[in-house]
Every structure is written in C-alpha cells, then in structure tokens.
Amino acid sequence: MAEIRRPDDMVRITTPELAEAFIAEQTELVRKQVGDRKVLLALSGGVDSSVVAALLIRAIGKKLVCVHVNHGLLRKGEPEQVIEVFRNQMDANLIYVEASDRFLDRLAGVSDPEQKRMIIGGEFIEVFAEEARKLDDIDFLAQGTIWPDILESERGIKAHHNAGGLPEDMKFELVEPVRILFKDEVRIVGKQLGLPDSMVFRQPFPGPGLGVRCPGAITRDRLEAVRESDAILREEFAKNGLEGKVWQYFTVVPEFKSTGIRDGKRSFEWSCIIRAVNTEDAMTATVENIPFDLMCHIVERITHEVKGINRVLYDFTPKPAGTIEFE
Ligand code: XMP
C-alpha cells in the first residue's frame, strides 16, 4: 500500500466531479485495506491531516480515531474549530489532548530557535505515543503525506517521516489516502468532503506554531499577545478581502520593550511586528502592499485590544534578506 505512486497520466483534480471520483476510489481502497480494524490519526487541523480525517470518516466512520494535541502554540480558535468540525459536525471519534502546560513548561527559559523546535517536535511525539498506547487494537496509522512530500524525500530535500517518528516498538501499517495528490488537489477534495473553506484554503502555519513567533524564551503573557494580535490581523484581512489573496500573514512579538503612553500615563510595553508576504514556493518572498488606512485601523485595534502592546511595526523585508518566519 505504501508504495503507491501517482500514475504519469493521472488527470489533475480540478472539479468537484473529479474530486468525487477520487473520493469514491480511495474510500473503496481504504475499506479493503483496513477491513473492520482501527486507524489512528494525528489531526493537527492543517489542510492535509484534516482532509485525510474527512476522507477516512467517510470510508470507515468511528473506526478512525483522531487525536488532536493542543500544544498551546495554536492560533486563537483552532482547537475549537477542530472539535466543532470533526466531533460536532462529522461525528468523528476524536480525542482532544490539552497539553499546553506540558509544552510551555518544557519550553520555559529555552531561547535557541532550533532547540525550541526540537522540544516541540519531540514532546508532540511523546504525547501522541502516550495516547496511542492507551488505545487497544490499533493496526494502522493514517498520515497526510502528499505527492510533493514523496518527490522531495526521493530527491533528498526533505526527510519524509514514516510513521511520524514514533518509537520503534510502535509498529503500524500506514494509510495514506492523499499520497498521490498535489496540494491544490487536496484542497478540492477537502471542499468536496464538506470541510469549511477556512480549513481547506487556510494559509500555511508552521508545526512549531506560534512558538516561532514569540522569539527567544516563550512566556505565557507574550505568547498571549502574539495569539491575540494574530487573531486581529486575520480578522481584518478576512474582512478586507486579503484572506486567500496574501500567501502568509501573521504577527510576531519580540522580547524588547519601549516607552509609550496608556491612559495618559507612561507605559513600557512590547512592540508587535506585522508580516505579510507573497511567494510561489516559500524559497523567496515579496512583501504585501497593505492599504495605509487598513494598516492604521489594525494598529489602532492591536494597541487598544492586546494587553502589553504599545507599538505596531510593519516588516518590509523580502526573503532574502529575511526569512518568512522570525526564527
Ligand atoms: P522561512 O521562515 O524558512 O519559512 O522563510 C518558509 C515557510 O516554511 C514555514 N516554516 C515551517 N514550517 N515547521 C514547519 O512546519 C517549521 O519549523 C517551519 N519553519 C518555517 C514558514 O511558515 C513558511 O511558510
């Protein structure tokens, strides 16, 4: 099963009809592969794992066990959306793990970006493995592997983590129903499966989440300032037609503070940096030209609504010289 390749003559999925045909074919294949046994899936809420979840729910219903780990670095409303869409609307078998304290405690005082990434990645596998060990009779692990992942791992660009880096003693057969699809096809299939646009067409979001947007050692108060300012930026971009147009946009709150004025008194608070970029492949990026009036409105909202922020800056740096994320 794991060796399935995209046929050279496969027609690109661009219409609901083609998506429906793909869904019907994969549903059959998954039912044949899995029988009446159970499948486990780490459901992040990202495009690929969400589409895999929706497809497997259609194929095998409650025999799919989804685990959503909240590592405390998700955007505002994300865990709630996963629960609403999968548990409430799709009636999925969903285990929600609130692990924010565990991750933030492990990250306390850690300022090196790569060490932060390693802690978040390692802790994620540990939490997921712990949940998996609590379950009986799981034979399969579903993954949101897509065709570019396979091509990149074959070219040695990116390691394709089989079985998500789980401990050696945890052996599962893989179920990879979107393995032969390109990203745009995954989105069309997801839409056809009834997932909301906000999930299927969402901007890229890194695995370490808001952790890389709270530069240096993460503190809960500064992380909250990142989360709240990001929510305002996303809300304003959605209201003003920039959602789906700008490739990636977010806020960053570095550790330094500066002087300002709040309620007529001197304040000493953080600055929030807005980043909004466009790119084809994330290797290079250009800066979005945000309308000045909208920018002023966003600044007004962030400085008034987000605790601890008295200044908002715009990052005009293309990639290169800057990377898209700050660390
Ligand atoms: P950079 O900052 O390298 O980002 O210009 C390019 C794209 O990759 C995303 N990114 C990550 N995604 N784990 C991820 O899953 C990571 O550690 C990570 N670092 C960066 C970034 O959001 C952008 O889309």
Side-chain angles (χ1 to χ4, degrees):
M1 205 68 193
E3 296 311 315
I4 290 173
R5 300 189 65 78
R6 183 181 177 101
D8 289 339
D9 59 352
M10 181 171 159
V11 177
R12 192 84 165 207
I13 298 173
T14 51
T15 63
E17 293 73 27
L18 288 168
E20 200 53 53
F22 175 83
I23 294 163
E25 186 185 287
Q26 285 302 321
T27 304
E28 264 322 292
L29 284 172
V30 168
R31 285 184 187 144
K32 253 190 220 143
Q33 183 190 5
V34 169
D36 57 6
R37 291 176 292 165
K38 285 195 207 151
V39 182
L40 184 65
L41 170 73
L43 176 58
S44 68
V47 180
D48 304 334
S49 68
S50 296
V51 174
V52 167
L55 209 148
L56 294 183
I57 290 164
R58 169 122 22 136
I60 59 169
K62 290 258 163 77
K63 282 177 288 183
L64 173 72
V65 183
C66 302
V67 176
H68 179 60
V69 177
N70 182 356
H71 54 26
L73 304 165
L74 297 170
R75 288 172 293 183
K76 189 171 179 175
E78 271 188 310
E80 292 83 358
Q81 187 187 36
V82 168
I83 292 171
E84 171 56 28
V85 169
F86 291 100
R87 186 181 285 164
N88 300 349
Q89 294 174 18
M90 297 196 168
D91 196 26
N93 200 345
L94 173 70
I95 298 170
Y96 171 67
V97 189
E98 171 49 68
S100 303
D101 281 339
R102 185 169 161 171
F103 279 81
L104 296 181
D105 288 350
R106 286 276 283 109
L107 286 163
V110 180
S111 56
D112 178 69
E114 291 317 307
Q115 208 186 336
K116 284 165 71 178
R117 277 193 172 77
M118 276 174 52
I119 290 173
I120 297 164
E123 200 66 17
F124 184 89
I125 288 168
E126 250 179 61
V127 173
F128 185 67
E130 275 170 30
E131 291 305 315
R133 284 188 211 284
K134 289 183 200 160
L135 301 164
D136 293 325
D137 347 306
I138 302 275
D139 292 311
F140 299 91
L141 182 75
Q143 292 197 143
T145 312
I146 64 173
W147 191 235
D149 297 335
I150 307 277
L151 295 180
E152 288 188 355
S153 72
E154 282 174 357
R155 288 184 205 135
I157 297 170
K158 193 154 107 185
H160 170 52
H161 294 296
N162 259 0
L166 284 171
E168 281 292 304
D169 66 307
M170 302 191 81
K171 294 234 183 301
F172 297 110
E173 194 181 317
L174 293 181
V175 177
E176 298 180 308
V178 297
R179 181 187 159 90
I180 61 170
L181 299 188
F182 288 103
K183 193 84 176 189
D184 52 300
E185 299 178 300
V186 176
R187 294 188 206 274
I188 295 169
V189 166
K191 193 162 170 56
Q192 188 62 23
L193 286 162
L195 291 175
D197 282 2
S198 58
M199 212 167 226
V200 170
F201 295 103
R202 67 182 218 164
Q203 54 166 324
F205 186 61
L210 301 181
V212 291
R213 298 174 183 172
C214 191
I218 299 167
T219 58
R220 286 163 204 250
D221 50 359
R222 198 156 51 88
L223 179 62
E224 212 40 44
V226 177
R227 194 175 345 256
E228 289 299 322
S229 54
D230 171 76
I232 292 172
L233 184 73
R234 285 191 291 136
E235 191 186 317
E236 290 300 331
F237 267 38
K239 263 195 216 156
N240 290 282
L242 294 177
E243 185 186 55
K245 175 179 173 278
V246 182
W247 196 80
Q248 196 170 11
Y249 45 96
F250 53 88
T251 61
V252 179
V253 181
E255 279 172 300
F256 75 88
K257 289 186 173 178
S258 72
T259 308
I261 303 158
R262 186 173 301 281
D263 303 328
K265 289 198 204 98
R266 180 185 179 278
S267 69
F268 192 57
E269 297 176 335
W270 298 301
S271 297
C272 166
I273 301 171
I274 295 175
R275 185 117 175 95
V277 295
N278 292 302
T279 178
E280 289 287 329
D281 56 7
M283 301 299 286
T284 62
T286 56
V287 177
E288 172 71 13
N289 184 354
I290 304 178
F292 188 77
D293 288 349
L294 174 59
M295 197 57 125
C296 292
H297 178 61
I298 294 171
V299 172
E300 170 84 10
R301 283 200 61 193
I302 291 178
T303 50
H304 284 79
E305 295 174 36
V306 183
K307 196 163 177 276
I309 305 269
N310 65 358
R311 217 177 265 277
V312 179
L313 314 171
Y314 190 42
D315 184 354
F316 272 100
T317 319
K319 175 181 181 176
T323 49
I324 294 176
E325 302 289 349
F326 266 48
E327 57 174 33

